[in-house]
Amino acid sequence: MSDILKREVKFVGGVGEVRQRLLEREVGVRTVGDLLMRFPYRYIDRSRIFSLSEVDENMENTYIQLRCRVVGRSFVGDGPKRRFVVEVTDPTGCAELLWFHGVNWIEKRVELNREYIVFGRPSIFKGRISLVHPEIEGVEVALSRKVESSFQGIYSTTEKLSQTITVKAMHTIVHNAWQLVASIPDAFSDPLSEAMRQRYGLIPLKEAIYNLHFPQSKERLKQAQYRLKFDELLGVQLTIQAQRTSRHQRGGGFVFGRVGDAFNNFYYKKLPFKLTGAQQRVIKEIRADMVSGRQMNRLLQGDVGSGKTMVAFMSMLLAVDNGYQACIMAPTEILARQHYATMARMAEGIGVNVAILTGSSKSKERRTAFEGIASGQIDILVGTHALIEDKVQFSNLGYVVIDEQHRFGVEQRAKLWTKNHQPPHILVMTATPIPRTLAMTLYGDLEVSVIDELPPGRKPIHTYHYYDSARLRMFGFLRQEIAKGRQVYVVYPLIKESEKMDYKDLEDGFESLSRDFPLPQYRITVCHGKMKPEDKEAAMSQFKRGEADILVATSVIEVGVDVPNASVMVIESAERFGLSQLHQLRGRVGRGAEQSYCILMSGDKLSKEGRARLEAMCQTNDGFRLSELDLKLRGAGDIHGTQQSGDAFELNIANLATDTQIMELTREVAIDILSRDSNLQMAENQGLRTLRDRHCKRPRIDFSDIS
Ligand code: ADP
Ligand code: MG
């Protein structure tokens, strides 16, 4: 990088000490380079002048230009409410311009009957157009001024920053900064060689940066954006693919060459249903990894109810057939117990021993597990985090399955890696559908399998949104369903920050339900995170055995619970849940033959996004579509809790939700480059090295916060 880019931004015309501090504090811009690498998020065509008759509600919050004549000017109001109001017209209509600050300054610059170019964001109230604090300039000056580009970039700003540096001032500052570097030929050293640029049709870096700030045409702008996105995503992919290659080169995976009695006996004698095509395919994919001689590291995505447990179990039998132990780790006690029950039943009579170990295992259960695991007596161990403890010593662990993996942190998972002299094969399963682009970024070093087919005979769940005011109607519906012998979940949100309030909501809800659904006709039970494990377990099994009609719960039941007779899921304050969590909860019903329903209850006032989420839920049952939408609504940074993805990779211009094609291309490019120079050591690859280091902090993949 040239020195000029490292100079403090205060040396740029129009900045100075005060603005330097402001820019640094508000948007992290310290140097000329920082300033020039911050690109507009939107462009306005400044050759386009709108007539007032064209302005409508859809333009609120977008910048437009008008050409108007001043027909009235006056001060209105007193004290802090005093404002300067200017009436303007053009041949098609009229509007009002308003200033609350700097009124004396602006007042001197506005003359009656003169024509101005007005630039700002219109708002419309009762049919009247107004613009608050627009920029204005006399028509003669505005039209005669030579501009760098007819597209004006709009840079993201903050409330504070925008008070000092207007849209136009920012534009000027960037322009001045550009003047400093424009004549220096190597101001930006291009990380991509000429040959590479040719091959992928990319314009030079400097040209791209110039066109991002001052697009010379729409076409140029597109090319510039493409170039910068390519750089960013290539940086990301070089990091990810390097991890993958090094894992492959390390080699050393257990080889499970045999398909033996455990698998065959189960398959031919015990399998309770026909596998779906997707289940079969995934089992084959896993098996191919297990005989490859490399350690498997595979992500299995499958919508709720798609039958991941069976895939896990059958692939575990392959480990057992080859003399290895397998374990499956689930995020909650309830889920672990349920997996244990299912798997112990499936393993009966095929000579496979299954045991359980959780945090609340009693001493006898613990002892059995510890001893059996160490001696090799136990083939499959089912459990929670307790499996990670150092005390758990396997005799020969060969395969680890992690269910609902987003609940575990990386470190927790990594500990399982060390439970044998060489790392076991790993399968992580998730029902939180991660959009493909994001999966590629976050799991570039994992292979991905997808179960994209539900077991036959499932009826799509009908989803409805009710406002709280329609609660009695909802109750009526529940009575109908219960009368048919069905069971109902009622779920309350549990958001960490307001736990106390949330439990209060649940308690109030339980009380009110108890009044409306009185004993002995209706039986209601409660299950939430604050209860003792045995009480939770008791409540769940009561519900499972059909001895309760309604289960009132917090989102603890979100994961994995399987009660086929439950056909209604009521989600309270549904607007407070994220889309993927709503979808997970909905997946608790629709597991039996009956038509199932999901009812989203919400307050009457909804934010735009809250409404969009609920509408999306009513429209589709497809988890992958919902997750794509979630990504669009929330942005990639948000979707994985706090500082994930977008932040782990400092993405400036590329968008994980939409830049799928470039992502896939750069993945191929990265694999190709690394196959010839795995550490980017060749002289010709030094630029790529900086690209990788510039755009990529080490990714932190920690899903413990997703819900
Ligand atoms: P998830 O992928 O959400 O973990 P599960 O593994 O819990 O789903 O499976 C959901 C339900 O579907 C279980 O009751 C399971 O027995 C059943 N199931 C799984 N595979 C099939 C299949 N191929 N045919 C019929 N039912 C199946
Ligand atoms: Mg499951």
Side-chain angles (χ1 to χ4, degrees):
M1 189 164 66
S2 150
D3 283 349
I4 184 74
L5 296 180
K6 291 186 195 143
R7 294 199 64 180
E8 288 193 299
V9 65
K10 67 183 172 200
F11 297 109
V12 173
V15 184
E17 290 286 352
V18 175
R19 288 184 168 186
Q20 160 99 41
R21 276 199 299 278
L22 197 64
L23 280 166
E24 195 167 343
R25 200 177 53 223
E26 294 293 312
V27 288
V29 167
R30 198 179 60 79
T31 64
V32 174
D34 293 342
L35 185 70
L36 289 175
M37 289 309 282
R38 244 182 118 244
F39 304 116
Y41 66 92
R42 188 189 300 149
Y43 298 87
I44 295 149
D45 184 352
R46 294 217 74 161
S47 63
R48 174 89 159 92
I49 292 177
F50 285 83
S51 58
L52 282 164
S53 62
E54 288 176 286
V55 177
D56 63 26
E57 274 86 0
N58 294 327
M59 292 184 189
E60 288 192 331
N61 281 320
T62 60
Y63 284 92
I64 56 164
Q65 267 185 140
L66 303 164
R67 177 177 177 157
C68 312
R69 189 175 296 282
V70 172
V71 294
R73 52 196 294 287
S74 56
F75 285 98
V76 179
D78 282 318
K81 288 217 171 130
R82 191 169 109 108
R83 56 198 185 274
F84 183 54
V85 182
V86 174
E87 306 283 332
V88 294
T89 60
D90 76 359
T92 69
C94 59
E96 194 176 73
L97 315 180
L98 296 160
W99 282 269
F100 298 91
H101 316 290
V103 290
N104 296 329
W105 188 85
I106 200 78
E107 194 253 329
K108 290 198 192 72
R109 278 159 187 80
V110 175
E111 288 170 36
L112 261 182
N113 277 324
R114 231 183 109 186
E115 252 194 315
Y116 292 88
I117 297 292
V118 175
F119 173 73
R121 291 183 287 190
S123 59
I124 298 175
F125 184 68
K126 291 193 176 154
R128 266 190 83 70
I129 303 169
S130 63
L131 289 89
V132 176
H133 287 190
E135 291 172 16
I136 68 167
E137 201 169 30
V139 163
E140 312 74 34
V141 188
L143 297 184
S144 67
R145 188 159 24 78
K146 197 178 149 292
V147 286
E148 194 73 44
S149 159
S150 64
F151 294 94
Q152 172 159 12
I154 306 290
Y155 298 83
S156 64
T157 183
T158 63
E159 177 98 39
K160 263 231 172 83
L161 190 62
S162 65
Q163 277 170 19
T164 313
I165 306 183
T166 60
V167 170
K168 198 156 57 178
M170 183 60 96
H171 196 70
T172 309
I173 290 171
V174 175
H175 186 253
N176 293 344
W178 181 260
Q179 293 304 317
L180 292 178
V181 303
S183 58
I184 304 174
D186 59 351
F188 300 92
S189 53
D190 198 322
L192 304 184
S193 65
E194 173 71 40
M196 191 148 165
R197 291 202 305 267
Q198 290 240 320
R199 188 155 167 207
Y200 299 106
L202 301 163
I203 62 173
L205 180 64
K206 189 170 175 185
E207 206 176 312
I209 293 175
Y210 176 71
N211 274 286
L212 277 166
H213 294 296
F214 314 104
Q216 296 305 296
S217 66
K218 277 197 175 144
E219 185 54 27
R220 280 324 247 172
L221 176 59
K222 271 216 184 96
Q223 291 171 339
Q225 287 168 330
Y226 187 83
R227 166 62 211 256
L228 266 287
K229 288 178 177 187
F230 186 95
D231 281 20
E232 281 188 1
L233 294 177
L234 183 59
V236 168
Q237 290 295 345
L238 283 169
T239 308
I240 292 171
Q241 300 307 330
Q243 293 169 354
R244 175 165 175 264
T245 325
S246 81
R247 191 165 53 77
H248 282 186
Q249 281 165 354
R250 254 185 284 130
F254 296 123
V255 177
F256 298 166
R258 264 159 43 100
V259 179
D261 287 348
F263 189 93
N264 285 329
N265 282 335
F266 179 76
Y267 189 78
Y268 292 108
K269 296 185 190 150
K270 296 215 64 177
L271 186 60
F273 36 66
K274 196 169 167 305
L275 295 176
T276 63
Q279 284 171 318
Q280 282 174 20
R281 189 189 65 237
V282 172
I283 292 173
K284 279 199 189 117
E285 286 167 355
I286 293 172
R287 169 146 162 77
D289 282 357
M290 287 175 162
V291 297
S292 72
R294 292 196 306 241
Q295 182 218 356
M296 173 172 83
N297 209 19
R298 189 169 277 280
L299 172 71
L300 172 55
Q301 296 191 5
D303 212 342
V304 275
S306 62
K308 294 186 292 295
T309 316
M310 184 53 79
V311 170
F313 183 70
M314 291 180 67
S315 53
M316 283 158 107
L317 294 179
L318 290 171
V320 175
D321 270 338
N322 287 273
Y324 291 89
Q325 293 167 306
C327 68
I328 175 165
M329 183 161 81
T332 64
E333 176 91 20
I334 290 178
L335 187 52
R337 298 253 162 223
Q338 186 172 299
H339 278 331
Y340 173 65
T342 311
M343 292 189 176
R345 197 176 62 234
M346 294 198 292
E348 245 165 51
I350 58 168
V352 173
N353 291 323
V354 184
I356 181 160
L357 180 69
T358 74
S360 62
S361 288
K362 298 272 157 41
S363 52
K364 180 162 169 266
E365 200 172 73
R366 286 177 80 80
R367 218 171 31 244
T368 317
F370 283 146
E371 287 171 13
I373 277 298
S375 70
Q377 184 70 29
I378 290 170
D379 304 302
I380 293 177
L381 183 63
V382 181
T384 54
H385 300 75
L387 297 188
I388 303 173
E389 289 171 27
D390 292 331
K391 273 180 287 182
V392 183
Q393 296 286 344
F394 289 86
S395 112
N396 193 16
L397 179 66
Y399 182 34
V400 172
V401 180
I402 300 176
D403 196 13
E404 303 298 343
Q405 57 81 34
H406 58 274
R407 296 284 174 129
F408 296 103
V410 221
E411 297 84 19
Q412 290 176 316
R413 282 186 268 146
K415 269 199 136 170
L416 281 164
W417 281 212
T418 60
K419 295 244 175 222
N420 205 344
H421 63 276
Q422 90 186 30
H425 295 299
I426 312 283
L427 181 72
V428 293
M429 308 200 294
T430 181
T432 303
I434 301 163
R436 188 171 156 65
T437 32
L438 198 55
M440 280 173 66
T441 320
L442 296 170
Y443 297 115
D445 89 318
L446 288 183
E447 319 303 328
V448 179
S449 287
V450 180
I451 303 188
D452 51 6
E453 185 185 350
L454 292 178
R458 297 270 169 85
K459 296 197 179 104
I461 300 162
H462 293 178
T463 303
Y464 302 102
H465 170 206
Y466 282 59
Y467 290 103
D468 283 337
S469 45
R471 182 165 296 276
L472 290 180
R473 240 173 65 215
M474 185 268 280
F475 282 172
F477 178 71
L478 297 191
R479 285 197 190 92
Q480 269 177 31
E481 284 298 299
I482 294 171
K484 289 189 213 154
R486 304 283 102 75
Q487 290 166 282
V488 175
Y489 294 102
V490 179
V491 175
Y492 287 84
L494 185 55
I495 318 278
K496 275 187 204 134
E497 301 90 69
S498 55
E499 251 187 43
K500 270 211 183 108
M501 252 171 62
D502 292 339
Y503 280 110
K504 178 137 185 3
D505 284 353
L506 179 138
E507 275 156 20
D508 293 351
F510 175 64
E511 255 175 45
S512 110
L513 274 171
S514 307
R515 275 195 303 277
D516 281 274
F517 293 82
L519 280 165
Q521 196 182 353
Y522 299 102
R523 297 154 303 170
I524 308 180
T525 185
V526 192
C527 179
H528 61 71
K530 287 219 164 143
M531 285 160 53
K532 288 202 200 109
E534 43 292 13
D535 294 344
K536 266 193 274 185
E537 176 62 23
M540 282 309 301
S541 31
Q542 190 189 358
F543 189 66
K544 235 179 143 160
R545 287 195 303 267
E547 289 160 15
D549 306 297
I550 302 179
L551 175 68
V552 177
T554 52
S555 23
V556 288
I557 65 151
E558 167 194 347
V559 176
V561 178
D562 195 18
V563 182
N565 189 49
S567 68
V568 185
M569 167 63 67
V570 179
I571 304 175
E572 293 286 350
S573 306
E575 72 272 27
R576 292 175 64 195
F577 288 97
L579 256 184
S580 70
Q581 208 180 4
L582 288 172
H583 180 63
Q584 288 261 342
L585 284 169
R586 176 167 62 184
R588 297 307 111 215
V589 296
R591 303 190 152 224
E594 307 308 327
Q595 177 60 54
S596 292
Y597 304 89
C598 174
I599 299 177
L600 308 168
M601 300 300 297
S602 82
D604 295 337
K605 279 220 180 91
L606 285 175
S607 69
K608 208 166 136 201
E609 280 198 4
R611 183 183 305 279
R613 283 199 298 272
L614 301 187
E615 274 168 12
M617 283 291 292
C618 294
Q619 272 159 20
T620 182
N621 273 302
D622 180 337
F624 282 82
R625 262 182 67 198
L626 287 172
S627 72
E628 302 272 359
L629 196 79
D630 205 21
L631 191 61
K632 287 203 176 111
L633 282 177
R634 299 206 286 163
D638 241 35
I639 210 164
H640 293 118
T642 45
Q643 302 155 315
Q644 298 283 333
S645 53
D647 195 47
F649 302 100
E650 291 186 323
L651 295 183
N652 207 348
I653 179 163
N655 181 333
L656 294 177
T658 48
D659 292 323
T660 326
Q661 276 186 351
I662 310 181
M663 178 86 90
E664 286 177 19
L665 172 63
T666 52
R667 179 171 185 269
E668 298 306 316
V669 176
I671 290 173
D672 178 52
I673 293 166
L674 293 169
S675 73
R676 280 173 281 113
D677 182 12
S678 61
N679 284 322
L680 299 181
Q681 241 132 32
M682 293 179 190
E684 68 194 66
N685 287 337
Q686 288 323 291
L688 296 175
R689 211 186 163 107
T690 53
L691 199 63
R692 179 190 68 189
D693 300 343
R694 166 147 43 98
H695 289 295
C696 268
K697 296 186 212 158
R698 253 194 83 73
R700 288 168 296 122
I701 305 171
D702 178 358
F703 279 76
S704 51
D705 259 358
I706 310 187
S707 45

